[in-house]
Amino acid sequence: MTPFGERLAAVAAAVEAELAALLPPVEGPQARLHEAMRYAVLGGGKRLRAFLVVATAELLGTSGRAPVRGGAAIELVHAYSLVHDDLLAMDDALMRRGRPSCHHAFGEATAILVGDALQPLAFELLARPDYGADAEQRCRLIAGLAAAAGSLGMCGGQLLGLVAEKQRWPRADISAMPRLKTGAPLRCACTAGAILGRASAAEAAQLAAYADELGLAFQIRDDLLDRGGEGVATGKDSGRDGAVGKATFVGVLGETGAGEALEELRQRAVGRLDIFGHRATVLVELFEFAIRRLS
């Protein structure tokens, strides 16, 4: 494993431990719901959003529990979005992270409640005064995550994704969905690290711009994996976007054009980090990982 891979795994383990401790135990009359919540959150995923919080905060000289908590909260919102995206009314996915999607494992009604419960838990965890962030930082983290998850962020992007089925969109329009659905949570993660690291206005602006490039690149790589990936490798249903006629970067640009777009985004993202010098190496490595990942 590379040094970057080791660091990614270490942060994932720390976030996993934080989530395991903060999710409700499987007991009481709500035991089935709690079991399904833990099923949806624990034991899978690369925790890239949480890693982005931690890496950004560390870039600015802040480490410890606060970035891990911030990352854990964003991972809860991400998990809720996956549970709801997988539902019959949305993507109707059979698999998620190499095992049955939550509604196939626990039933649709319970899966809806899982998402409904995970989202407020994320905000509760950010509001608590037990992880080293002061009151102003906690308020800014809560406001940022709320905006990233709402109608002008992740939820709005999901709607655009549904509208995009059976439509042929030019590149300028097709960018709108990933900028909201994928990009807004990544931007939130980067901004959360900047808040905890007390970034200057100039630093925060460059980090947000880097996250925007990362969000688009992440979606393009997802499109490429959906086009050519196998369920065993990706851990989720593959080929669905093409089957339903959804407009994708690969569909508009072709695989060669999508690869060229990834390189353009990489160059722009690396340029955004010039203000930090060698301290930004880990964010450069994260971008490389995001555009070359196999799942």
Side-chain angles (χ1 to χ4, degrees):
M1 185 180 291
T2 65
F4 174 79
E6 292 175 354
R7 180 60 182 146
L8 185 64
V11 171
V15 172
E16 186 85 0
E18 182 83 346
L19 290 166
L22 294 170
L23 283 162
V26 182
E27 60 187 27
Q30 300 89 5
R32 180 171 175 79
L33 174 59
H34 295 165
E35 180 185 4
M37 290 168 67
R38 299 180 77 88
Y39 178 91
V41 173
L42 300 176
K46 295 172 285 294
R47 309 298 185 196
L48 286 182
R49 292 153 191 81
F51 183 85
L52 189 53
V53 179
V54 173
T56 302
E58 289 183 346
L59 166 69
L60 296 163
T62 296
S63 58
R65 190 177 187 187
V68 172
R69 174 66 65 84
I74 295 175
E75 289 292 337
L76 286 176
V77 170
H78 178 57
Y80 124 69
S81 75
L82 296 182
V83 171
H84 280 191
D85 286 0
D86 287 344
L87 291 171
L88 179 64
M90 297 288 187
D91 291 344
D92 191 19
L94 297 174
M95 300 290 292
R96 174 65 65 179
R97 292 174 174 169
R99 59 184 180 178
S101 52
C102 189
H103 69 286
H104 279 278
F106 291 89
E108 188 173 28
T110 298
I112 292 171
L113 292 174
V114 165
D116 292 345
L118 290 177
Q119 182 173 204
L121 179 59
F123 293 105
E124 177 190 339
L125 298 187
L126 290 179
R128 292 181 189 176
D130 65 344
Y131 62 98
D134 64 30
E136 180 184 0
Q137 288 175 315
R138 298 199 305 275
C139 286
R140 292 176 65 193
L141 291 172
I142 291 168
L145 184 55
S151 65
L152 298 180
M154 184 181 67
C155 285
Q158 174 68 359
L159 175 65
L160 293 182
L162 294 173
V163 171
E165 294 187 4
K166 304 299 183 183
Q167 292 192 14
R168 299 179 64 85
W169 285 2
R171 181 178 179 179
D173 292 333
I174 204 172
S175 299
M177 185 276 283
R179 283 191 184 281
L180 297 179
K181 183 179 178 181
T182 305
L186 289 171
R187 185 185 179 101
C188 176
C190 223
T191 300
I195 291 169
L196 293 170
R198 302 187 187 280
S200 68
E203 289 172 333
Q206 291 304 312
L207 288 167
Y210 161 86
D212 288 341
E213 312 290 7
L214 179 63
L216 278 179
F218 200 90
Q219 185 61 52
I220 292 173
R221 185 59 183 163
D222 265 359
D223 290 351
L224 286 166
L225 289 170
D226 184 76
R227 174 68 66 91
E230 296 180 2
V232 173
T234 63
K236 58 184 180 180
D237 300 345
S238 293
R240 182 190 179 278
D241 289 346
V244 300
K246 182 178 290 187
T248 67
F249 278 100
V250 178
V252 172
L253 303 176
E255 292 189 21
T256 300
E260 292 171 351
L262 284 178
E263 177 57 25
E264 292 173 9
L265 288 166
R266 187 192 68 80
Q267 292 181 12
R268 290 207 299 267
V270 171
R272 306 288 190 188
L273 300 173
D274 285 346
I275 188 174
F276 302 105
H278 71 278
R279 290 181 295 149
T281 297
V282 70
L283 292 184
V284 174
E285 293 175 330
L286 174 60
F287 202 98
E288 293 285 351
F289 174 82
I291 65 176
R292 304 189 192 285
R293 62 197 165 87
L294 298 177
S295 65

